[in-house]
């Protein structure tokens, strides 16, 4: 028999357990060690910033209304001084493009900055872990508490932790719904527990998943559920700044006494303390190289720098660096120079251009819009006095937050005039429908479709006007 002939396949039942062990690893609970340092401070600064924005915006008032409100019932989005309508979905598309290119740009420059510092999963996990640490103690005490038999003290600590998590999760869900339903109405409903069915559903839904993801699953979300972890590598290149262990400097690793020159005992700077693993929220060992589970939080950098300080070794055994920098022994200056490379320049240029277009679109946004619909039930009819009448429905949209009156006029054919209302008042941030009869002398145009134009002008600002063309039908 040839040596290339495959061996007979074993029965599936015999391999079922082995296949299961290969595909699925049983979860080992992590007891993450708290760490302080530069990057931990940055991470907590982002926690404070993002949560002050998230929890605080619904409480801000603007023009006697909620400053930020995506009012689905009214089909209007209020964002400070702007009011957006369904017709403004273009701006949402541009905003999504900006977000995508910002993700591409920052990932190409310095890896998973979003995941490590601003992702909601990271932010709420940090908050829940802080609560856990304050109630149950540090990582050693938490592990001992898990291993201890159930007691009154253990039940009290666990109950307090779960209750605190639940309160944070419920307030998070309540705040989320406050972006889509007016906060004053939600507060009134909270006092009587009289939430509507959809409000109650989304409060419990968002709260439940906040509790589940940040309190229970934690690193499992980043490792197995987040799609970004799977495709991040396509945005990396050898000049992308990533969290890196300097193997050349650190190996061979091993223990030694303090203040001993590692080269004198044939070792590298790494003392194999394992603290970089203990502080990792996903439980990986950065010394094994870059892994998709790494969320770029840089906790291992802070931990390793503290150990290097205690051993009187230079910092930076674990640091932000690039593949090329390690191979070619670049310094900080060379690394920064290679940040400006074709990929980042293209991403940055597109990001700047799209952002400028977005800002220009907002600044040049017309505060008045008009939709004209001709009444198709009566295409054109002759009335007394030798006139032809067409009926139109005008939808006048006042995009500003002040009530306005508008003058209506029509042109485009000899003797054309409006037969009735020539003025319409539109409340702030509202749409007003008005029915207009337009009259034209019978002999003013050719039979069939003729072009006319409506002009709608604000009384308090003549420069604010809109011209909309439509057709006037004369029966044959």
């Amino acid at each position: 028999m040839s040596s290339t002939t495959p061996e007979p396949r074993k029965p599936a039942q015999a391999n079922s357990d082995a296949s299961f062990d290969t595909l699925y690893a049983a979860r080992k609970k992590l007891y993450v060690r708290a760490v302080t340092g530069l990057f931990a401070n940055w991470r907590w600064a982002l926690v404070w910033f993002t949560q002050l924005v998230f929890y605080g915006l619904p409480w801000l008032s603007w023009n006697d209304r909620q400053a930020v409100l995506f009012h689905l019932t009214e089909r209007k989005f209020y964002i400070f001084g702007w009011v957006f309508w369904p017709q403004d979905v273009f701006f949402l598309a541009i905003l999504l493009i900006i977000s995508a290119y910002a993700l591409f740009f920052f990932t190409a420059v310095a890896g998973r900055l979003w995941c490590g510092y601003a992702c909601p999963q990271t932010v709420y996990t940090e908050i829940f872990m802080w609560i856990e640490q304050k109630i149950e103690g540090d990582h050693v005490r938490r592990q001992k508490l898990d291993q201890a038999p159930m007691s009154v003290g253990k039940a009290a600590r666990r109950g307090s932790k779960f209750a605190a998590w639940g309160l944070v999760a419920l307030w998070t869900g309540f705040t989320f719904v406050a972006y889509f339903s007016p906060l004053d109405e939600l507060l009134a409903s909270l006092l009587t527990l009289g939430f509507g069915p959809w409000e109650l559903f989304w409060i419990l839904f968002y709260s439940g998943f906040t509790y589940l993801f940040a309190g229970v699953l934690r690193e499992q979300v980043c490792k197995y559920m987040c799609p970004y972890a799977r495709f991040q590598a396509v945005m990396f290149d050898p000049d992308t700044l990533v969290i890196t262990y300097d193997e050349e400097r650190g190996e061979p690793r091993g223990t030694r006494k303090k203040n001993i020159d590692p080269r004198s005992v044939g070792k590298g700077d790494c003392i194999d303390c394992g603290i970089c693993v203990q502080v990792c929220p996903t439980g990986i060992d950065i010394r094994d190289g870059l892994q998709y589970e790494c969320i770029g939080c840089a906790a291992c950098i802070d931990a390793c720098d503290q150990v290097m300080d205690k051993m009187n070794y230079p910092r930076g055994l674990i640091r932000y660096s690039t593949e090329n920098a390690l191979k070619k022994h670049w310094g900080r200056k060379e690394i920064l120079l290679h940040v400006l490379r074709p990929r980042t320049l293209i991403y940055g240029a597109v990001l700047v251009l799209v952002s400028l277009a977005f800002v220009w679109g907002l600044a040049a946004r017309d505060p008045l819009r008009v939709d004209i619909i001709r009444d198709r039930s009566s295409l054109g009819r002759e009335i007394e006095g030798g006139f032809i009448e067409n009926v139109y429905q005008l939808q006048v949209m006042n995009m500003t937050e002040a009530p306005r009156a508008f003058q209506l006029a029509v042109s485009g054919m000899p003797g054309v005039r409006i037969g009735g209302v020539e003025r319409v008042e539109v409340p702030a941030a509202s749409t007003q429908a008005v029915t207009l009869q337009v009259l034209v002398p019978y002999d003013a145009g050719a039979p069939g479709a003729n072009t006319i134009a409506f002009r709608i002008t604000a009384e308090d600002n003549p420069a604010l006007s809109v011209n909309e063309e439509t057709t006037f039908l004369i029966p044959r």
Side-chain angles (χ1 to χ4, degrees), residues 82 84 91 357-365:
W82 291 302
F84 296 94
F91 290 105
F358 181 76
V359 173
W360 176 84
L362 288 178
R365 185 167 168 261

Side-chain angles (χ1 to χ4, degrees), residues 214-365:
V216 180
L217 295 179
R218 292 185 178 174
E219 79 282 355
Q220 303 292 298
V221 177
C222 300
K223 293 170 68 173
Y224 302 117
M225 299 174 65
C226 177
Y228 183 53
R230 304 293 178 176
F231 67 78
Q232 59 161 332
V234 302
M235 289 182 275
F236 285 12
D237 62 34
D239 288 315
T240 297
L241 283 166
V242 292
I243 297 171
T244 309
Y245 167 67
D246 191 340
E247 186 175 351
E248 182 178 334
R249 173 186 160 187
E251 300 297 327
R253 70 188 74 159
T255 58
R256 80 294 305 266
K257 292 183 180 180
K258 185 178 179 181
N259 293 327
I260 290 182
D261 183 0
R263 303 297 179 266
S264 66
V265 292
K267 295 179 180 179
D269 285 1
C270 178
I271 66 173
D272 202 19
C273 61
I275 295 179
C276 58
V277 181
Q278 297 172 22
V279 301
C280 179
T282 58
I284 66 170
D285 190 340
I286 194 63
R287 296 172 295 179
D288 294 335
L290 182 63
Q291 299 148 69
Y292 80 89
E293 295 95 339
C294 177
I295 63 172
C297 65
C300 54
I301 297 180
D302 285 332
C304 187
D305 283 347
Q306 292 175 8
V307 173
M308 293 296 102
D309 290 344
K310 292 179 181 178
M311 297 297 295
N312 292 322
Y313 295 166
R315 288 188 169 196
L317 179 60
I318 301 175
R319 63 185 184 272
Y320 271 104
S321 187
T322 71
E323 182 182 338
N324 282 335
L326 289 178
K327 289 180 179 179
K328 302 175 182 179
H329 301 93
W330 286 344
R332 181 175 298 179
K333 181 178 180 181
E334 290 83 3
I335 293 174
L336 293 178
L337 287 175
H338 283 81
V339 168
L340 299 176
R341 56 194 188 276
R343 173 180 288 196
T344 57
L345 291 175
I346 292 173
Y347 286 157
V350 174
L351 180 60
V352 170
L353 290 175
V354 177
S355 299
L356 290 175
F358 181 76
V359 173
W360 176 84
L362 288 178
R365 185 167 168 261

